[in-house]
Amino acid sequence: MKKTILLTALVLNGLTLFAQSNDEKNIKLFYKKALTEAKCYSWLEYLSNDIGARLSGSKGAAEAVEYTKRQLENLGLDKVYLQEVMVPHWVRGEKETAFILDGKVKTTVPICALGGSVATPKTGLTAEIIEVQGIKELNELGADKVKGKIVFYNRPMNPENIETFTSYGACVDQRYAGAKEAAKLGALGTIVRSMNLRLDDFPHTGAQSYGDLPKEQYIPTAAISTNGAELLSKTLKRNPALKFYFKQSCETLPDVLSHNVIGELTGTVSPENIMVVGGHLDSWDLADGSHDDGAGVVQSMEAVRILKNLNYKPKNTIRVVLFMNEENGGKGGAKYEEVSKQKNENHIFALESDSGGFSPRGFSIEADDVNLKKIQGYKDLFEPYLVHSFTIGHAGSDINHLTSKAIVKAGLKPDSQRYFDYHHAANDKFDAINKRELELGAATMTTLLYLVDQNGIELPKAN
């Protein structure tokens, strides 16, 4: 009896070791394929250099839909199709101009309109300017000190945080809601310090919202470069009575029909269970959005290419989704969830890449304790590839919409130190992409898809 128990234990242990070594073998192959045969870099080069900026409603966005659909079709996936979605269509118009008017001295500073902003008067807007460190300080000042002025939000990203997204999250409210709050107090316009840790001359755009304000209360709002913000703040301290001038001609046009791009590898065991991998196809209009989020788009495509190329037969259906309109509305993610609910689809896992194409460090995970520990149990398999961070955190804006009863969400977590040098700025171009780092990210995503597909997720226990 003891011999039988011992033999059984050895056999089971052997099977466990074999499964582990098989995973290691497959993962090594994923990285080899990504680093020697990947198409993600060439796909991104076309998206960036041949198509360019892809703001929702633009010609570039429409071309990107058709291009990525063709590339997915060329991979020989089981299904490739488009999903209709109506998206906002905001246009920047002529290049913005701005001056610090310090007595007789006029100094040009770099600005750009924030997404969704209204235009200034055709001749521009000139007014005294008041500096605040955020919305809280603005409200403490009150209407008496704000009315008739331009509000200058100058709270910088905190350099003390190692995780730069923490710093971004702590001050982005002044960009998103700053104009709305200033308008309530009678301000004429707002200027917002760019969300950037580096001092440079690139203003960074991004979404802003007037909330439920009536349209007649909308005021123009723009971002100023970090160097420009430093200069403006310094000059204001010397001359609080100086004036600021800026001119922009942006406008919001009627919504436009666009599409999410979707491709599938059908599951062979549980095809009704869907695993999503994706990024967002749209970008801001100042550049070609190579990091935000061209990188995430092509990495997601690369993950399914690697699996298809290796003739991998997934247990669950793996669906690559290239979402439209993450930047200024989130309509693509919302539409995908709406259609999924109508079809009563069951999503068990979603993986998004929307943090740049830098070296992968791990994943930000949305899961209960049981599934978090399960994914953290894969750490040893990732460590040879310098991927080590598996922590609770926001997984992604597009997959955030998914509400299946039992779903684990993960966001690729690249090194974040340089990301905000490029985020939403005119320098987010293809030459900012490192080919090897991009490919490593794709291999890391492929690995997590594979491991979750092989091992599934833990379902909540019935009460």
Side-chain angles (χ1 to χ4, degrees):
M1 183 65 178
K2 287 183 178 179
K3 289 182 178 180
T4 303
I5 294 172
L6 178 61
L7 181 60
T8 302
L10 288 171
V11 170
L12 288 174
N13 190 45
L15 287 173
T16 301
L17 289 173
F18 175 79
Q20 177 78 355
S21 65
N22 192 52
D23 284 343
E24 290 173 345
K25 179 181 177 181
N26 286 333
I27 292 167
K28 185 175 181 180
L29 194 55
F30 298 155
Y31 278 88
K32 178 181 178 180
K33 288 286 184 181
L35 294 171
T36 61
E37 302 175 10
K39 292 189 176 182
C40 54
Y41 190 70
S42 60
W43 284 332
L44 184 56
E45 182 177 22
Y46 190 91
L47 274 176
S48 299
N49 294 337
D50 289 74
I51 294 177
R54 304 175 299 280
L55 189 60
S56 293
S58 68
K59 179 183 177 183
E63 290 178 352
V65 166
E66 293 304 319
Y67 173 71
T68 51
K69 179 175 180 285
R70 287 197 306 272
Q71 300 314 306
L72 290 177
E73 288 171 339
N74 291 341
L75 297 182
L77 305 183
D78 297 317
K79 293 180 184 178
V80 177
Y81 55 99
L82 301 181
Q83 185 178 79
E84 291 187 350
V85 54
M86 296 299 293
V87 298
H89 188 197
W90 178 83
V91 293
R92 184 172 301 279
E94 296 178 3
K95 184 175 175 57
E96 305 87 343
T97 54
F99 310 114
I100 300 172
L101 301 170
D102 183 11
K104 294 183 179 180
V105 178
K106 182 172 76 171
T107 306
T108 302
V109 288
I111 69 160
C112 67
L114 292 177
S117 177
V118 294
T120 59
K122 290 184 179 181
T123 56
L125 172 63
T126 304
E128 290 187 1
I129 191 162
I130 185 168
E131 178 179 348
V132 296
Q133 292 298 300
I135 292 172
K136 180 181 178 182
E137 184 180 342
L138 172 81
N139 289 326
E140 288 172 351
L141 287 174
D144 289 345
K145 294 183 178 179
V146 173
K147 188 175 182 179
K149 295 181 180 179
I150 295 170
V151 173
F152 168 37
Y153 290 100
N154 193 33
R155 183 166 82 256
M157 289 177 64
N158 187 348
E160 296 179 17
N161 296 311
I162 302 302
E163 176 50 72
T164 62
F165 281 90
T166 302
S167 300
Y168 177 75
C171 63
V172 74
D173 64 323
Q174 63 190 350
R175 187 197 76 198
Y176 186 76
K180 177 187 71 174
E181 297 302 322
K184 291 178 182 178
L185 299 177
L188 298 179
T190 61
I191 298 295
V192 184
R193 183 189 183 99
S194 287
M195 304 292 110
N196 181 12
L197 283 158
R198 185 173 68 177
L199 291 175
D200 62 25
D201 294 318
F202 293 102
H204 294 229
T205 192
Q208 69 85 37
S209 172
Y210 296 111
D212 57 0
L213 284 179
K215 287 188 177 181
E216 58 269 21
Q217 285 188 245
Y218 289 5
I219 60 175
T221 179
I224 186 171
S225 71
T226 48
N227 275 340
E230 293 288 302
L231 176 63
L232 178 55
S233 181
K234 180 179 178 181
T235 311
L236 263 173
K237 287 178 174 62
R238 189 175 65 244
N239 177 15
L242 67 75
K243 292 187 176 182
F244 191 85
Y245 165 89
F246 73 110
K247 181 178 181 291
Q248 56 191 42
S249 57
C250 44
E251 62 178 321
T252 299
L253 302 174
D255 287 359
V256 171
L257 177 64
S258 189
H259 302 84
N260 294 326
V261 183
I262 302 173
E264 289 183 8
L265 291 173
T266 305
T268 57
V269 177
S270 302
E272 73 281 4
N273 292 336
I274 299 169
M275 299 172 56
V276 164
V277 58
H280 66 85
L281 199 50
D282 60 307
S283 75
W284 280 106
D285 58 317
L286 295 177
D288 50 65
S290 290
H291 278 293
D292 186 20
D293 185 31
V297 165
V298 299
Q299 285 173 329
S300 300
M301 294 168 64
E302 186 65 46
V304 294
R305 189 202 71 82
I306 290 171
L307 295 175
K308 175 67 176 177
N309 184 261
L310 291 171
N311 200 33
Y312 177 71
K313 304 297 183 184
K315 295 180 179 181
N316 308 285
T317 294
I318 295 178
R319 182 181 287 173
V320 56
V321 184
L322 311 180
F323 298 95
M324 182 56 69
N325 184 233
E326 185 273 347
E327 293 292 5
N328 62 335
K331 301 295 186 181
K335 173 57 73 172
Y336 179 82
E337 166 64 1
E338 176 189 326
V339 173
S340 294
K341 289 180 76 172
Q342 290 170 355
K343 294 180 177 180
N344 199 30
E345 292 180 333
N346 180 44
H347 289 81
I348 63 168
F349 181 68
L351 171 59
E352 184 166 348
S353 173
D354 187 17
S355 299
F358 301 102
S359 292
R361 294 288 179 257
F363 298 94
S364 182
I365 302 162
E366 295 179 35
D368 58 21
D369 289 343
V370 173
N371 281 297
L372 175 64
K373 288 177 181 177
K374 185 166 187 173
I375 292 180
Q376 288 174 334
Y378 305 144
K379 285 180 69 172
D380 289 347
L381 293 167
F382 282 95
E383 282 184 356
Y385 307 96
L386 305 181
V387 174
H388 60 273
S389 179
F390 294 77
T391 57
I392 283 287
H394 178 63
S397 297
D398 288 304
I399 62 176
N400 188 56
H401 294 276
L402 290 172
T403 57
S404 291
K405 290 181 180 179
I407 183 171
V408 173
K409 301 176 184 179
L412 181 67
K413 194 174 180 181
D415 185 286
S416 70
Q417 304 312 313
R418 292 167 288 157
Y419 182 62
F420 290 99
D421 294 352
Y422 304 100
H423 183 248
H424 296 179
N427 59 342
D428 186 6
K429 296 182 177 181
F430 185 69
D431 61 7
I433 295 290
N434 178 282
K435 180 176 182 289
R436 185 174 179 83
E437 290 181 303
L438 182 75
E439 293 165 349
L440 286 168
T444 301
M445 293 170 69
T446 309
T447 298
L448 187 59
L449 275 177
Y450 162 79
L451 290 171
V452 175
D453 182 57
Q454 286 292 300
N455 299 294
I457 66 169
E458 300 300 318
L459 299 177
K461 293 181 179 179
N463 293 329

